[in-house]
């Protein structure tokens, strides 16, 4: 057998590569279409916003949470989680006229009279998606 002739023969290579590429494209296309048909593509948009918040505790009954920078967040998607041994606080939003938290806006948490944060208590600012399927802790304050 002539090795030079064997190495220079390339007629069968092109059809094999063509078939492999067609199968790969078909598999990728089926995966993309299947993802959206099954509804998995809807969850892509439910990612947590990127924002920075600061906490200011006056040592008594008031915790002020300030939106420092980052994404604008709908106010109804935010909640404040306090230690379980404290009663439900009064939460008020001090901002502009819209229903979203923008940089510079604040949330004021008023604890009941006589209640204070103990050392090691955590206050968390939690975001929950509009659909309610995803949530994330955006910032945590430890006293």
């Amino acid at each position: 057998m002539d090795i030079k002739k064997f190495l220079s023969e390339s007629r069968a290579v092109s059809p094999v590569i063509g078939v492999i590429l067609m199968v790969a494209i078909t598999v990728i296309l089926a995966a993309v279409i299947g993802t959206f048909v099954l509804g998995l593509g809807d969850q892509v948009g439910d990612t947590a916003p990127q924002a920075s918040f600061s906490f200011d505790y006056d040592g008594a009954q008031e915790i002020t949470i300030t939106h420092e920078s980052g994404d604008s967040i709908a106010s109804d998607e935010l909640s404040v989680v306090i230690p379980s041994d404290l009663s439900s606080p009064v939460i008020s939003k001090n901002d502009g006229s819209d229903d979203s938290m923008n940089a510079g806006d604040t949330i004021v948490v008023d604890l009941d009279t006589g209640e204070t944060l103990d050392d090691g208590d955590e206050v968390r600012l939690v975001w929950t998606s509009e659909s309610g399927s995803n949530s994330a802790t955006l910032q945590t304050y430890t006293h």
Side-chain angles (χ1 to χ4, degrees):
M1 178 168 189
D2 188 12
I3 293 184
K4 280 187 177 185
K5 184 177 179 186
F6 179 73
L7 293 177
S8 65
E9 189 67 37
S10 62
R11 287 185 302 180
V13 172
S14 187
V16 170
I17 291 175
V19 168
I20 291 171
L21 287 175
M22 290 296 284
V23 169
I25 290 171
T26 304
V27 168
I28 291 170
L29 189 59
V32 169
I33 291 172
T35 299
F36 286 102
V37 167
L38 294 175
L40 300 175
D42 297 339
Q43 296 175 358
V44 174
D46 281 349
T47 57
Q50 299 297 312
S52 176
F53 295 87
S54 65
F55 289 77
D56 182 33
Y57 178 52
D58 68 357
Q61 277 82 31
E62 191 172 278
I63 305 166
T64 304
I65 304 169
T66 305
H67 185 287
E68 295 290 330
S69 63
D71 297 337
S72 177
I73 306 167
S75 296
D76 58 346
E77 294 177 356
L78 292 174
S79 59
V80 178
V81 178
I82 61 169
S84 60
D85 61 335
L86 299 175
S87 59
S88 296
V90 176
I91 300 172
S92 58
K93 184 172 174 273
N94 181 13
D95 65 343
S97 60
D98 60 357
D99 285 337
S100 61
M101 283 291 290
N102 301 305
D105 293 347
T106 60
I107 297 172
V108 178
V109 180
D110 287 320
L111 302 175
D112 283 347
T113 304
E115 291 188 338
T116 59
L117 293 177
D118 297 326
D119 287 340
D121 280 350
E122 283 189 351
V123 177
R124 296 183 300 132
L125 184 63
V126 177
W127 167 84
T128 305
S129 67
E130 186 177 352
S131 65
S133 60
N134 291 340
S135 66
T137 299
L138 298 179
Q139 199 86 30
T140 302
Y141 168 74
T142 304
H143 180 64

